[in-house]
Amino acid sequence: MIGSATCQDSSFESDPWISFKVTWSISIEEQPLYARISGRHGGEVEIKVDPRNGLLLQAIVIEPPPTDSSWHDFDALDRLEGVTAVIDLAQWGTKVTPDYQEPATRVTEYVEDLTLTHSAGVTRLGFSSKPAARVLAAGATRIGVSMDGSLVAIDVIEG
């Protein structure tokens, strides 16, 4: 992750087939880039990103990962309101042509310590055991970011 950008709202969906789906209220005009994240101990998540600027558009749990027993609340952290994360596009690479440049691939894959936990009206999709240093908030969604700028977790406040 490399920063944040304005986004006023987000929506959360959950049903028997998809346990976690967050969509940030951003419209794009072209097909998104995809990051497929496999959990070291199970689970599969798909992240959608705007190919022009790296805005985080959507996070979907494809296969639920294990739960996390060590819950770290985001309440005491510095919070930026009305924003979403901006993901570094370098992980998709760049293909340069004589007239333009574009992502070298539309899909990138990597492994993280995925977790999915429900506790006290909050559903958390965890990506890392690193502590969050700040929070990016849009609507009922909170994105925890570590000191080094990596994505730690996405919280959805239910209700």
Side-chain angles (χ1 to χ4, degrees):
M1 200 188 92
I2 59 172
S4 61
T6 302
C7 175
Q8 294 303 317
D9 204 8
S10 61
S11 61
F12 174 68
E13 298 176 46
S14 179
D15 61 37
W17 298 276
I18 297 177
S19 58
F20 185 98
K21 178 180 177 182
V22 175
T23 304
W24 285 267
S25 299
I26 300 169
S27 60
I28 65 170
E29 298 172 7
E30 53 191 283
Q31 182 176 348
L33 299 176
Y34 298 87
R36 294 202 179 116
I37 306 163
S38 297
R40 277 188 182 83
H41 306 289
E44 193 80 25
V45 171
E46 180 179 83
I47 300 287
K48 295 181 183 178
V49 175
D50 188 321
R52 295 170 297 153
N53 51 30
L55 289 172
L56 178 59
L57 303 170
Q58 193 173 70
I60 304 170
V61 170
I62 306 299
E63 182 181 320
T67 60
D68 180 9
S69 59
S70 59
W71 187 268
H72 302 286
D73 202 343
F74 289 162
D75 288 344
L77 301 176
D78 290 335
R79 184 183 309 248
L80 295 173
E81 293 288 341
V83 296
T84 188
V86 176
I87 307 298
D88 186 357
L89 295 175
Q91 62 188 315
W92 285 273
T94 303
K95 179 169 64 174
V96 178
T97 70
D99 299 327
Y100 62 93
Q101 72 180 36
E102 64 184 11
T105 182
R106 304 238 30 113
V107 179
T108 185
E109 297 182 8
Y110 54 98
V111 176
E112 294 283 351
D113 292 322
L114 295 178
T115 58
L116 185 63
T117 306
H118 308 279
S119 178
V122 177
T123 299
R124 173 172 288 176
L125 174 58
F127 295 91
S128 169
S129 59
K130 293 179 183 178
R134 64 186 167 129
V135 177
L136 312 176
T141 303
R142 311 284 182 260
I143 301 170
V145 181
S146 71
M147 187 64 80
D148 68 1
S150 61
L151 183 63
V152 172
I154 300 171
D155 281 4
V156 176
I157 315 309
E158 300 167 14

